[in-house]
Amino acid sequence: MVTDGNTILAESLKKQGVEYVFGIVGIPVIETALAFQVAGLKYIGMRNEQAACYAAQAIGYLTGKPGVCLAVSGPGLLHCIGGMANAQVNCWPLVVIAGSCPEDHEGIGGFQEWPQVDSSRMYCKYAGRPPSPKLIPLHVERAVRLAAAGRPGVSYLDVPGTLLLGEVDEDKVPELYSAEPVKLAHPDPALVSQAADLLAKAERPLIIVGKGSAYAHAESAVTKLVEKTKIPFLPTPMGKGVVPDESQYCVSTARTQALLKADVILLLGARLNWMLHFGQAPRYAPDVKVIQVDISPEEFHNSIKSEVAVHSDIKPFVEALTHKLDEKKFSLEVAGNKWWQALQLKQKANIEFVEAQANDKTVPLNYYAVFKTVQANIPRDSVIVSEGANTMDIGRGLLLNNLPRHRLDAGTFGTMGVGPGFAVAAAMWCRDHAPGKRVVCVEGDSAFGFSGMEIETMFRYKLPVIIIIVNNNGIYSGFDKETMDDLQSSGDPTQCTPPTSLSSEVRYEKMMEMFGESGHFCRTVEEIELAIKKAVATTDRPSIINVAISPQANRKPQTFNWLTESKL
């Protein structure tokens, strides 16, 4: 009996526990996708390779097992590069497989010929090409293992057409195997003791819960630590929900104050990069002491020298730390504690400002009024996908997550265009692993424009994603129709159209009409409420809710510039 490269590849992926493949087919991977389906893999055809790559990495984050992105040769793979870089920087497990021109055409101008392995190395933990069909299983095992092991990232496999169609005797294919799962890395007990001593002596301790805590499924351990010690905590954007946002110990509404005044910070699976202002003054106290816990020791001391640096998975470290602090009978008293009093005072002031904005229903609406209405009307356990500038930043504070791995956004790389791809992946995950749970994709109008045609993918696979477009006619800010018309009538549009502006009140919801359905255009709070109720009741197709807001709506004034200068 003989078999071919396509079949070997499909069965190898199945053996490694891969469940989902997102991609776009063409020469030479049409038969590859069919072989995937025969093997029992779930294949989701997308409309753009970048969106397919975003979807595959999001499913990897949600399931803990790498998703696969399948692309054609040359331009197909190059379209994936943005997604590969995003997954690598975001630390999400992803395997990209791309066809390439037949090996006997290389060097003589083959169809879509490109040095694909070399082009991918910069964006991967591993990039390679199996030398023969019978060695495909070894390379697949390595690609899947390296994508998921340690700090997750990207693997790339190059599969020329001659490799996919090549035949080999079945008995000459090495036995398919799956490596044993890597066991949790436990912390050095001496470092746990040092961390406990430092926290117990702190006057103003703070816990920062990162995305790594969510990926590590450490929610029970971290929640227990917070509730027993009563130390205030801040989640990073995708650390939201590890401990519920509605916890009394969450101080997100006093984020600036908490970072600035903390004397000891416990960093759980988060990096001191731009999102946390590098851990440096003026956003932090100059003498702050940091306890850094990470699965990747290469992350230690990158921007500041940590007082205690612990190489460990989050869950065993937090369990050991909780036990140590329990032995010391350490717990902050919220009532009467000066640290808590200062944070609560700042929380009260910030909440009052946000509430005043959110209760302002003047048309055109502002961001806060829109998000308060959305939060009040979507299911509480929704997976929230968000991207945009102000849309994402303001939404982080008002769209709450009380469950882990229920927020997907532009992340560490700040990539725009991820939303629809993430939403497709999240909806597939909900369908298969959490039936009835809804995905709410909140997009700025600029962000939606990157990947909006994935609405067709959602229709094709009957994914009930609720897309809410917060439309301010621009990037950061735009102009009303009258102002925009005046600007463009004053001369050459390429000279007179402000770079941040987009067309006024684009009716994105009318995309639904391409599929015989109707979208929702909203200007008022009442219209948003009605639209969301109709969308929630729709369970077999996506919905688009297009909300026109003030083009000049903005966020709360910031104490500091949003981006802290580095130490250089």
Side-chain angles (χ1 to χ4, degrees):
M1 292 287 290
V2 296
T3 186
D4 63 12
N6 281 315
T7 301
I8 297 170
L9 177 60
E11 291 179 352
S12 299
L13 290 168
K14 184 73 173 178
K15 178 68 175 180
Q16 299 309 319
V18 169
E19 188 175 0
Y20 298 94
V21 180
F22 301 83
I24 296 179
V25 298
I27 297 171
V29 295
I30 298 173
E31 291 81 5
T32 310
L34 293 171
F36 287 172
Q37 290 180 316
V38 170
L41 299 173
K42 296 182 179 182
Y43 178 81
I44 301 94
M46 306 286 283
R47 298 303 301 268
N48 180 283
E49 286 95 352
Q50 225 171 358
C53 206
Y54 296 144
Q57 64 194 255
I59 207 74
Y61 172 69
L62 291 169
T63 64
K65 196 72 175 179
V68 169
C69 176
L70 179 67
V72 301
S73 50
L77 171 67
L78 291 175
H79 287 170
C80 293
I81 292 294
M84 293 165 72
N86 188 71
Q88 187 72 359
V89 173
N90 230 23
C91 307
W92 284 1
L94 167 70
V95 174
V96 174
I97 299 174
S100 56
C101 81
E103 291 164 291
D104 55 327
H105 291 180
E106 290 181 343
I108 57 173
F111 175 65
Q112 296 184 331
E113 180 184 355
W114 188 255
Q116 297 181 186
V117 175
D118 289 342
S119 296
S120 300
R121 289 192 198 282
M122 188 181 297
Y123 313 98
C124 297
K125 294 175 69 177
Y126 169 71
R129 172 194 285 185
S132 67
K134 70 179 182 180
L135 292 178
I136 287 174
L138 277 68
H139 285 260
V140 168
E141 187 279 330
R142 181 172 175 81
V144 172
R145 174 164 47 85
L146 293 186
R151 172 176 284 176
V154 184
S155 291
Y156 172 67
L157 284 180
D158 195 63
V159 285
T162 42
L163 181 78
L164 295 170
L165 297 177
E167 294 185 339
V168 61
D169 290 338
E170 285 185 351
D171 58 5
K172 291 185 179 179
V173 178
E175 183 179 353
L176 299 175
Y177 68 93
S178 179
E180 291 293 321
V182 177
K183 294 183 178 179
L184 291 179
H186 284 254
D188 180 342
L191 295 178
V192 175
S193 294
Q194 289 180 34
D197 289 342
L198 203 55
L199 283 168
K201 294 173 183 175
E203 294 181 3
R204 298 178 303 280
L206 177 69
I207 298 172
I208 297 179
V209 182
K211 175 179 57 190
S213 295
Y215 186 75
H217 289 248
E219 52 268 21
S220 296
V222 178
T223 299
K224 183 178 179 181
L225 171 66
V226 168
E227 291 181 345
K228 286 183 77 71
T229 64
K230 301 180 176 59
I231 296 175
F233 79 91
L234 284 174
T236 64
M238 276 185 278
K240 284 163 60 71
V242 172
V243 184
D245 280 349
E246 293 181 307
S247 166
Q248 62 179 311
Y249 307 114
C250 180
V251 291
S252 289
T253 49
R255 183 180 189 270
T256 298
Q257 180 85 348
L259 295 178
L260 182 61
K261 298 297 185 182
D263 60 354
V264 175
I265 292 176
L266 173 60
L267 197 65
L268 297 176
R271 290 172 281 178
L272 289 175
N273 55 21
W274 69 272
M275 296 184 78
L276 287 174
H277 316 292
F278 311 108
Q280 298 173 10
R283 300 301 294 258
Y284 294 76
D287 58 350
V288 64
K289 293 178 172 60
V290 175
I291 302 163
Q292 190 174 10
V293 188
D294 204 286
I295 192 62
S296 174
E298 291 86 354
E299 188 60 38
F300 297 151
H301 317 299
N302 270 351
S303 54
I304 64 168
K305 186 181 186 305
S306 296
E307 191 74 12
V308 183
V310 187
H311 177 214
S312 174
D313 277 285
I314 300 299
K315 185 178 178 182
F317 170 82
V318 170
E319 290 172 343
L321 178 66
T322 303
H323 179 70
K324 277 291 180 185
L325 291 172
D326 206 29
E327 286 181 348
K328 294 176 179 291
K329 299 187 173 8
F330 171 79
S331 179
L332 292 181
E333 288 298 328
V334 176
N337 180 277
K338 290 183 179 180
W339 177 223
W340 265 113
Q341 286 177 339
L343 291 173
Q344 288 171 336
L345 191 64
K346 192 65 176 177
Q347 283 180 295
K348 183 175 182 294
N350 287 342
I351 289 170
E352 287 174 353
F353 172 87
V354 170
E355 279 297 308
Q357 296 293 308
N359 291 332
D360 181 1
K361 299 182 181 180
T362 304
V363 175
L365 295 170
N366 64 62
Y367 286 100
Y368 297 89
V370 171
F371 289 134
K372 180 178 181 180
T373 306
V374 171
Q375 174 64 31
N377 289 277
I378 60 175
R380 286 174 56 84
D381 66 345
S382 297
V383 178
I384 296 172
V385 178
S386 183
E387 65 169 331
N390 290 333
T391 296
M392 181 174 63
D393 293 341
I394 298 171
R396 283 172 178 159
L398 279 85
L399 300 177
L400 303 181
N401 293 100
N402 290 314
L403 295 170
R405 299 169 296 283
H406 277 56
R407 180 182 174 87
L408 305 171
D409 70 18
T412 309
F413 209 32
T415 307
M416 291 295 105
V418 297
F422 282 3
V424 167
M428 292 299 303
W429 177 82
C430 289
R431 173 184 290 177
D432 296 339
H433 302 280
K437 191 182 291 289
R438 299 305 298 270
V439 176
V440 180
C441 183
V442 185
E443 299 273 302
D445 51 328
S446 171
F448 180 71
F450 282 80
S451 306
M453 272 311 299
E454 297 304 333
I455 187 73
E456 188 276 328
T457 305
M458 298 174 192
F459 264 99
R460 193 167 6 113
Y461 292 98
K462 304 183 187 301
L463 302 176
V465 176
I466 300 171
I467 300 173
I468 301 174
I469 301 170
V470 186
N471 189 348
N472 72 342
N473 306 339
I475 304 169
Y476 301 107
S477 62
F479 295 93
D480 58 59
K481 188 176 188 307
E482 182 179 351
T483 303
M484 191 66 170
D485 288 345
D486 287 345
L487 287 168
Q488 293 192 308
S489 65
S490 61
D492 182 349
T494 65
Q495 298 292 303
C496 302
T497 304
T500 60
S501 62
L502 299 173
S503 299
S504 302
E505 290 193 2
V506 175
R507 299 297 295 270
Y508 297 103
E509 82 286 352
K510 289 185 176 291
M511 292 177 71
M512 295 288 290
E513 295 177 10
M514 296 189 295
F515 309 96
E517 302 292 341
S518 298
H520 309 274
F521 182 70
C522 305
R523 295 186 189 276
T524 68
V525 163
E526 292 74 20
E527 289 171 343
I528 297 171
E529 290 173 340
L530 182 60
I532 293 177
K533 287 177 182 176
K534 289 181 178 178
V536 170
T538 302
T539 58
D540 62 348
R541 61 186 181 277
S543 304
I544 297 180
I545 301 171
N546 184 14
V547 183
I549 68 167
S550 169
Q552 299 302 311
N554 213 324
R555 62 192 297 179
K556 177 180 177 288
Q558 302 296 295
T559 305
F560 296 96
N561 289 333
W562 71 277
L563 183 61
T564 302
E565 295 299 321
S566 77
K567 62 186 177 183
L568 300 177

